[in-house]
Amino acid sequence: MPAPLSPQTRSIVKACIPALEAHGLAITQEMYRRLLSDEAIRDLFNISHQKSGDQPKALAFAVLAYARHIDDPTPLKDMIERIAEKHVGLNILPEHYPFVGTALLGAIAHVLGDQATPDIMEAWKEAYGFLADVLINREQQIYHAHTEEKGGWTGWRPFRIASRSMETADTASFTLTPVDGQPVMKHRPGQYLSFRLDIPDVGSERRNYSISSAPADNHYRITIKKHEDGLVSRWFHDHAQEGDILEVSAPAGDFFLNPSSERPLCFISAGAGITPIMSMMETLTAYNDRRSIHFIHGTQSTQTTIFADKICTLAANGTIKADLFYSQMDSLPPQMKGVALHTGRISPSWLKTHEDKQADFYICGPTEFMLSMIHTLKEQNIPMERIHYEMFGSAADPYLVTQA
């Protein structure tokens, strides 16, 4: 473990909280401007999150949370774990951290100007070094665990697209097998794969996509919805074909099914948020898990329901009880065994009257949707340790960044 921060550093960092509240976003925007001027470092980032502003916002919230909890970072353990898993997926290494530190300290000095006294700069240098050491140590533990797993690996491993199939008009599934023909590490249901892609006329891009299949020792399946403003999702849909080779890192992520819980399960998703949830449900089916499963899903219509056939099969054989909500349908198709159909969106009032207060909840979907579901469950006195959620991309909402 890194050496504890000095009392003087902790005092100075806490004194900087008002400045971070006022200028935190300007600092992180300036930090990324400096950091991304280095092409080698730029290639480590998802540039779409820079264009949307999500990444600087997420980091600003994280830095502020760190300052507020500088005396005892324990409440930030989930945030730190999520960051470490994300870094492992993207193959961030210890030698990358000094670049970030230099950019962050330079940004603080630039934005705060004369307020950035030598004592303040020295305190933030120590505070950044402490947090960097915490992350590096945790990431090294995860990398080591991957090498110990059967079929595990570190770095980028070549995988072949073994098959491609359309789930809806704008959503495709890709089954991936390792080029070397050796086993692959069994993921935890809910985790994601990270990809390093070289897109013509664009350059290097890195992305994460949830694994949508149950764990296996010879393949993974990812399911990608095409977004018109999504550079990589468009590339997968328009150009990725069977036989193509992709560079893939080992499964990562802190959103996964708790194997030790025996509680009932409630899965709540919207749109493409179903992808990690399907991995969980297929896993429970494969292992004949006897827990009750309530699946609640929102989408636009029957035509946009990803994995519709799988949902119907699981419901018909009694594996799950399903409620499907269609936001753009005025009338409903015929009812199906085990599936209740609804018009409109999943509302807090509906959830309050249909939830099992003894369940473990797993939530995935757009940010505002997840916030609504999480707040509703908390209002019903569901403890946060039983509410699990996944964020696609960077969390630009402070609540989701810190689980505050």
Side-chain angles (χ1 to χ4, degrees), residues 11-286:
S11 177
I12 291 173
V13 168
K14 286 187 289 186
C16 289
I17 289 173
L20 292 176
E21 290 172 336
H23 306 294
L25 182 57
I27 289 171
T28 56
Q29 288 172 332
E30 174 64 17
M31 187 208 81
Y32 278 116
R33 186 190 69 77
R34 292 165 176 253
L35 197 60
L36 299 180
S37 65
D38 185 327
E39 187 173 339
I41 298 299
R42 177 189 177 279
D43 288 345
L44 299 175
F45 290 89
N46 182 338
I47 299 303
S48 68
H49 294 157
Q50 301 298 321
K51 294 177 180 177
S52 68
D54 285 350
Q55 189 71 55
K57 287 180 185 177
L59 182 59
F61 292 135
V63 172
L64 179 58
Y66 180 45
R68 287 173 172 167
H69 294 279
I70 197 71
D71 285 328
D72 178 16
T74 303
L76 304 181
K77 61 181 178 63
D78 291 336
M79 180 186 81
I80 291 171
E81 182 67 13
R82 180 177 187 271
I83 293 171
E85 289 281 352
K86 186 72 72 174
H87 283 180
V88 167
L90 295 173
N91 283 289
I92 302 299
L93 300 173
E95 55 262 36
H96 296 134
Y97 277 87
F99 292 93
V100 178
T102 299
L104 176 61
L105 294 174
I108 292 173
H110 176 81
V111 173
L112 297 187
D114 292 341
Q115 297 179 56
T117 65
D119 284 347
I120 285 176
M121 297 306 299
E122 188 60 31
W124 275 102
K125 180 180 178 181
E126 183 184 347
Y128 172 77
F130 176 86
L131 183 58
D133 285 344
V134 169
L135 286 167
I136 289 169
N137 288 340
R138 178 60 188 136
E139 288 157 20
Q140 292 306 304
Q141 291 174 350
I142 299 171
Y143 283 127
H144 178 72
H146 286 179
T147 62
E148 295 294 306
E149 287 268 357
K150 179 183 178 182
W153 73 97
T154 60
W156 301 103
R157 184 177 177 184
F159 276 71
R160 180 176 288 106
I161 299 177
S163 66
R164 166 183 171 144
S165 60
M166 299 303 295
E167 303 291 348
T168 69
D170 62 358
T171 306
S173 286
F174 302 84
T175 301
L176 311 175
T177 57
V179 172
D180 59 21
Q182 297 300 307
V184 301
M185 170 181 150
K186 289 186 176 181
H187 67 283
R188 294 175 175 179
Q191 290 188 308
Y192 53 77
L193 296 176
S194 298
F195 296 82
R196 182 171 68 177
L197 305 165
D198 187 12
I199 298 181
D201 300 322
V202 174
S204 179
E205 292 285 340
R206 302 191 187 195
R207 290 295 188 278
N208 314 119
Y209 289 107
S210 294
I211 303 168
S212 61
S213 55
D217 61 7
N218 62 352
H219 74 277
Y220 302 108
R221 182 183 71 210
I222 58 170
T223 302
I224 302 174
K225 182 176 181 179
K226 183 178 182 178
H227 296 278
E228 288 309 314
D229 58 350
L231 172 68
V232 176
S233 70
R234 289 202 325 271
W235 180 86
F236 266 100
H237 275 260
D238 297 342
H239 301 287
Q241 302 296 328
E242 293 180 8
D244 288 351
I245 307 298
L246 305 174
E247 291 185 300
V248 184
S249 66
D254 65 335
F255 177 71
F256 51 80
L257 195 62
N258 182 355
S260 62
S261 175
E262 296 181 355
R263 292 180 178 276
L265 293 163
C266 182
F267 299 122
I268 308 174
S269 60
I274 192 176
T275 52
I277 300 300
M278 183 53 66
S279 175
M280 297 180 186
M281 292 198 294
E282 286 194 358
T283 302
L284 294 165
T285 301

